[in-house]
Amino acid sequence: MVIDWNSNASYACPRCNHDTVADPSSWEVYTCCNCGTRFSHFPRLQRFLRHVGITCEFCTERHPVLVDGKPYGFLRNRHNGIGTYAHHQIEAWMYDTDEIPDHKDRALYRDTCATRAEAMASLARARSFGPVEDDFSPVLAVVADEKFDRYYNVDHLTQEQRDALHNGTLEVYGVGVIRTHDAPSRMRGWFYPDMDTFTWGLIAPSGLEGLYTKAAPEPLAAHAPQL
């Protein structure tokens, strides 16, 4: 079922008011990423209009993940539920151009996790079955901090850093170790973020989020624990 959107807030879902469309067109049908509602300016013409699905930039933007500086996969935000108790989950995807070159834009879905660090652990698990079979060595993870408070407790930042943080161009990271469960655990071989090793709230150049098997990137090396 396609319903009519609010003409005074065409960027938002007419049912839950979630911001879904950045630049809406009158000749397309959109799907809300929050509640799944489909809406259009001309719902009676739905059979003749282009259905574009979910277009929310927050949910569909890819955040690249590197392994030792080379593209490996990406994380994507996913909204779960509506209302006060709604929360966001993180999808982990892996590039897999050799095995399934025509599948979902040459990307392979791995997992949906509660945090970015856990999603990175899922990618580390996938990496362990790569060129080196069953490589369960600990790896360093550089993870963008999705919980960093952008509007409070930032007195230590300069005005330029504060402005960049608010408009989304300044990245805040955590650096720590992702390791595997040891025997006799039934989860042996599964990676998890060792949260006791993570240092959070680091300001760093963008593009560093990823897994590093030997050492952290130079801008964060001073803050990284030893493997």
Side-chain angles (χ1 to χ4, degrees), residues 84-148:
T84 305
Y85 298 102
H87 62 280
H88 296 98
Q89 295 177 316
I90 308 296
E91 291 182 352
W93 291 76
M94 184 178 64
Y95 295 123
D96 200 346
T97 57
D98 294 331
E99 293 186 10
I100 42 177
D102 298 321
H103 178 67
K104 292 185 178 178
D105 195 21
R106 297 191 174 189
L108 179 65
Y109 169 77
R110 283 289 307 174
D111 205 353
T112 298
C113 304
T115 67
R116 297 174 76 90
E118 292 173 350
M120 296 278 278
S122 180
L123 292 179
R125 166 73 175 174
R127 165 206 158 264
S128 73
F129 292 97
V132 181
E133 198 73 16
D134 294 343
D135 181 6
F136 297 142
S137 304
V139 296
L140 285 168
V142 181
V143 188
D145 184 4
E146 71 269 19
K147 295 184 179 180
F148 189 84

Side-chain angles (χ1 to χ4, degrees), residues 22-86:
D23 187 18
S25 167
S26 298
W27 307 104
E28 294 178 331
V29 177
Y30 301 98
T31 302
C32 178
C33 58
N34 184 23
C35 65
T37 298
R38 291 187 299 163
F39 56 97
S40 170
H41 190 65
F42 301 111
R44 293 186 178 182
L45 300 178
Q46 59 179 286
R47 292 186 178 182
F48 306 98
L49 300 180
R50 179 169 173 253
H51 289 243
V52 296
I54 293 175
T55 61
C56 176
E57 294 179 359
F58 179 78
C59 294
T60 58
E61 182 182 358
R62 293 183 176 189
H63 301 271
V65 173
L66 311 174
V67 171
D68 293 330
K70 297 181 180 180
Y72 182 74
F74 61 88
L75 305 182
R76 189 169 64 182
N77 292 299
R78 173 184 174 185
H79 194 277
N80 183 39
I82 61 177
T84 305
Y85 298 102

Side-chain angles (χ1 to χ4, degrees), residues 119-194:
M120 296 278 278
S122 180
L123 292 179
R125 166 73 175 174
R127 165 206 158 264
S128 73
F129 292 97
V132 181
E133 198 73 16
D134 294 343
D135 181 6
F136 297 142
S137 304
V139 296
L140 285 168
V142 181
V143 188
D145 184 4
E146 71 269 19
K147 295 184 179 180
F148 189 84
D149 197 324
R150 293 174 179 270
Y151 299 100
Y152 300 99
N153 301 323
V154 290
D155 296 336
H156 63 285
L157 302 181
T158 66
Q159 185 60 48
E160 291 77 14
Q161 288 177 325
R162 188 177 294 109
D163 292 341
L165 181 64
H166 291 172
N167 65 29
T169 59
L170 186 69
E171 297 289 349
V172 180
Y173 289 94
V175 184
V177 176
I178 286 180
R179 61 177 85 250
T180 59
H181 294 275
D182 297 325
S185 172
R186 289 182 295 178
M187 297 293 290
R188 180 185 179 277
W190 288 90
F191 284 78
Y192 70 95
D194 186 351

